[in-house]
Amino acid sequence: MRLYRTSLFLCLTALLGGCQDTDVSEDQRQQVPIELRAVAPGLFAQTKAAAGSSFKTSVFCSTRKGDYAGLGEEIAGKWKEYEWSENTEVVSAKPEGMGDVTLTNRYYPRYGDNVYLVAVSPQKEDANKDGTLSYTLTGKEDLMYAAEISGNRWEVSRLGSLTYVHLLTQLIFKAKKHEAGGLDVKVTKITVKNVPATVSLPLATGEATFSGTSIVEHSISDATVKSAETPTDLGCLYLPPLPKAGDAKITIETSIGTFSDVSVTMSGTKPEDNFQAGVSHEITLDIHDKALGISSVEVSEWKPTYVDGSLDLID
């Protein structure tokens, strides 16, 4: 009798355990939302990046590692509901340098398949069929890329953080008088010739290819240089990295004349290290009453521009 009761107890335990496993398995098939964070060095880490500062971005999600072609189509048995692109924004958060990415009803595949994500800024939601983006370069826009991260619903940490890098070089212009006194000088335009006109950006690699030729003009509405001590801010340009050759050449239009093809040279560095991607340079113009030169070119912190709390990638 004791053996019979023991056997009955074990059977009931196994039966109840089986029902519980079935319930857990059913729960596990529920959708798990994708929660995404981002790192934006040189942007949110700035002291003026107050809480709630943001910048716009496009996020691309694939179920195929290193392949962002034909997102949204059903390819090789992968369901299109888990492949998408979305225009959104990155909002600064604690700790410093981190941001939260808002996504709309995006979920991990139910049965544990990985998803792979990359991102760009400025926004560019529609990629070519081969998974490549194209931008026209104006000199006024930054260009950033966040390399591929991956995860699935079963991993404890799930996705890591998108980490944005700058694909262009930044030239920050300032000007001061060579000597105290003398004429006030207005700077009205800075022009850079022979700048690539477009960039092709494969989402899988982020390896930018620049092509074409254009002239980039930076018009300055209100910049009067009066002081020999305090430089006047003239704004900035975002340019493709220079070829491994030499110097940038700029033309400056002022109230005392136009100065063409002024050479901008980084002192103390190898030419191939000048004006590379992700590097910001502060260029100070040295203005005489009838002449103009470059007093210094120095590597500086990346200069973001904030408008009403939003990070403006257009200076």
Side-chain angles (χ1 to χ4, degrees):
M1 180 64 69
R2 180 176 299 175
L3 179 60
Y4 172 79
R5 289 178 177 174
T6 301
S7 299
L8 180 60
F9 174 78
L10 291 175
C11 288
L12 288 172
T13 301
L15 180 60
L16 290 173
C19 292
Q20 185 176 3
D21 288 343
T22 300
D23 292 339
V24 171
S25 179
E26 195 66 33
D27 289 340
Q28 289 172 340
R29 284 197 286 269
Q30 298 304 309
Q31 292 179 315
V32 176
I34 294 175
E35 297 178 352
L36 193 57
R37 301 204 82 191
V39 179
L43 298 181
F44 289 149
Q46 301 290 325
T47 54
K48 62 180 179 180
S53 298
S54 63
F55 66 88
K56 296 182 183 302
T57 187
S58 294
V59 180
F60 299 82
C61 179
S62 177
T63 57
R64 297 158 284 138
K65 179 177 175 59
D67 187 354
Y68 295 85
L71 292 183
E73 300 176 0
E74 189 176 346
I75 300 176
K78 300 295 184 181
W79 293 98
K80 63 182 180 181
E81 65 180 299
Y82 299 117
E83 296 196 338
W84 46 266
S85 61
E86 181 174 339
N87 283 340
T88 182
E89 62 180 3
V90 181
V91 181
S92 64
K94 296 293 184 180
E96 295 295 331
M98 294 292 295
D100 293 321
V101 184
T102 302
L103 297 176
T104 306
N105 299 324
R106 306 299 184 183
Y107 302 96
Y108 290 98
R110 290 174 181 267
Y111 298 106
D113 290 323
N114 272 2
V115 290
Y116 303 89
L117 286 86
V118 298
V120 298
S121 186
Q123 291 177 340
K124 191 78 171 181
E125 188 174 6
D126 295 328
N128 295 337
K129 287 293 184 180
D130 63 353
T132 301
L133 300 178
S134 296
Y135 286 93
T136 298
L137 300 172
T138 65
K140 298 180 175 68
E141 290 181 309
D142 193 4
L143 177 60
M144 296 191 295
Y145 171 78
E148 184 176 85
I149 58 176
S150 63
N152 61 66
R153 62 175 294 157
W154 305 122
E155 294 176 350
V156 175
S157 59
R158 306 241 164 80
L159 290 170
S161 297
L162 290 168
T163 301
Y164 289 82
V165 296
H166 299 280
L167 300 183
L168 304 179
T169 185
Q170 185 185 54
L171 305 185
I172 301 171
F173 294 99
K174 296 180 180 294
K176 63 180 181 179
K177 294 298 298 294
H178 183 72
E179 296 177 343
L183 298 173
D184 291 347
V185 178
K186 288 186 177 182
V187 181
T188 57
K189 184 183 291 185
I190 296 174
T191 303
V192 186
K193 298 178 181 179
N194 299 322
V195 176
T198 61
V199 59
S200 177
L201 184 63
L203 289 172
T205 65
E207 295 177 359
T209 300
F210 301 96
S211 60
T213 302
S214 67
I215 297 175
V216 170
E217 296 183 345
H218 173 52
S219 296
I220 305 165
S221 59
D222 184 19
T224 301
V225 183
K226 301 179 179 181
S227 173
E229 300 296 329
T230 304
T232 300
D233 189 1
L234 304 178
C236 70
L237 287 173
Y238 301 95
L239 301 179
L242 289 184
K244 292 185 177 181
D247 313 330
K249 291 186 181 297
I250 62 176
T251 295
I252 305 104
E253 296 182 22
T254 75
S255 57
I256 59 172
T258 298
F259 302 89
S260 300
D261 296 329
V262 178
S263 182
V264 181
T265 305
M266 291 278 300
S267 60
T269 64
K270 298 178 182 179
E272 60 267 24
D273 293 334
N274 291 352
F275 308 109
Q276 294 305 298
V279 181
S280 182
H281 311 79
E282 187 170 297
I283 301 165
T284 302
L285 307 182
D286 185 26
I287 300 180
H288 301 249
D289 285 348
K290 295 183 179 180
L292 181 148
I294 304 290
S295 64
S296 65
V297 182
E298 300 177 350
V299 173
S300 65
E301 290 186 356
W302 197 273
K303 179 187 176 183
T305 302
Y306 290 89
V307 178
D308 295 331
S310 293
L311 180 60
D312 187 5
L313 297 180
I314 302 176
D315 181 68

